[in-house]
Amino acid sequence: MKRGVYPGTFDPITYGHLDIIKRALDIFDELIVAIGENPAKNTLFSAEERFNIVREAIEDYPNTKVMMMEGLLAHFADEVQASAIIRGLRALSDFEHEFQMALANRKMNPRTETIFLMPNEKYSYLNSTMVKTIASMGGKVTSFVPKSVEKALKEKYKSKSSKNE
Ligand code: ADP
């Protein structure tokens, strides 16, 4: 049985991430979406919120589950017995950072390979930051994220603006 782990911040999950998940499911028997808790990243949603948002978004996906990941990905991959780490590659701009991480992870855990998947071209420009920027200014994000994520974004920005009043 081949198990893959797809790690990320998912702040929040977008159709780009979901496209990668679908592609990974064609290759792996089982997929774990791992929510990272990188303290250096100032996220809009808490780790728990991101976990719940992802859980809802992947509800209908077979053999896929979401987990919270603490500590190093290289160790987590071993803990969950994943044979590969999956990452999405959008453009050349992703490459350098991804290349560095993949090699560092392989140094720490030679048992786990990193596999890069490319999304459908229509998602190659899409990232969570852009979605947050649009939503924060009241724009529509319907074509970038599922309905439940759109709702979570709306609620978040509503509560943020009422806090600032
Ligand atoms: P991280 O902070 O770890 O980069 P992200 O949530 O931003 O986490 O992304 C997780 C993974 O998904 C990364 O490999 C990223 O390149 C990939 N990814 C994000 N958005 C897209 C997209 N639109 N298409 C394909 N891959 C994507």
Side-chain angles (χ1 to χ4, degrees):
M1 214 231 359
K2 289 255 175 266
R3 181 178 294 143
V5 58
Y6 180 34
T9 312
F10 303 105
D11 187 42
I13 193 165
T14 68
Y15 281 139
H17 294 123
L18 290 167
D19 182 277
I20 296 295
I21 292 175
K22 278 188 213 139
R23 287 171 201 278
L25 281 171
D26 286 339
I27 305 173
F28 293 91
D29 304 303
E30 217 179 276
L31 190 67
I32 294 173
V33 181
I35 311 280
E37 278 200 87
N38 186 348
K41 277 206 172 179
N42 197 0
T43 57
L44 174 67
F45 294 100
S46 69
E48 196 188 338
E49 286 170 330
R50 286 179 279 135
F51 178 93
N52 289 330
I53 293 170
V54 169
R55 191 170 52 186
E56 195 170 346
I58 61 167
E59 211 167 48
D60 297 330
Y61 290 54
N63 311 318
T64 311
K65 70 171 173 183
V66 57
M67 285 178 79
M68 210 74 106
M69 178 176 64
E70 278 169 28
L72 284 173
L73 170 62
H75 298 163
F76 182 82
D78 258 358
E79 270 163 43
V80 299
Q81 295 177 336
S83 43
I85 293 165
I86 293 127
R87 295 285 289 176
L89 260 195
R90 283 161 291 193
L92 275 187
S93 51
D94 277 341
F95 183 77
E96 201 167 335
H97 169 69
E98 293 292 340
F99 184 71
Q100 229 172 37
M101 276 209 325
L103 292 185
N105 281 327
R106 193 163 68 188
K107 189 95 192 151
M108 290 183 279
N109 177 351
R111 296 164 296 284
T112 313
E113 290 292 344
T114 300
I115 293 182
F116 295 102
L117 297 175
M118 279 156 292
N120 186 309
E121 306 83 82
K122 66 182 178 196
Y123 299 129
S124 61
Y125 63 92
L126 183 56
N127 62 57
S128 302
T129 305
M130 189 185 87
V131 171
K132 285 181 281 191
T133 307
I134 296 171
S136 72
M137 296 184 199
K140 257 181 114 90
V141 290
T142 323
S143 46
F144 309 134
V145 297
K147 272 255 151 342
S148 54
V149 180
E150 195 179 355
K151 192 165 155 251
L153 280 163
K154 262 196 192 132
E155 276 163 18
K156 180 60 87 179
Y157 284 116
K158 210 172 5 166
S159 76
K160 266 189 169 248
S161 67
S162 63
K163 266 187 206 140
N164 290 338
E165 273 165 15

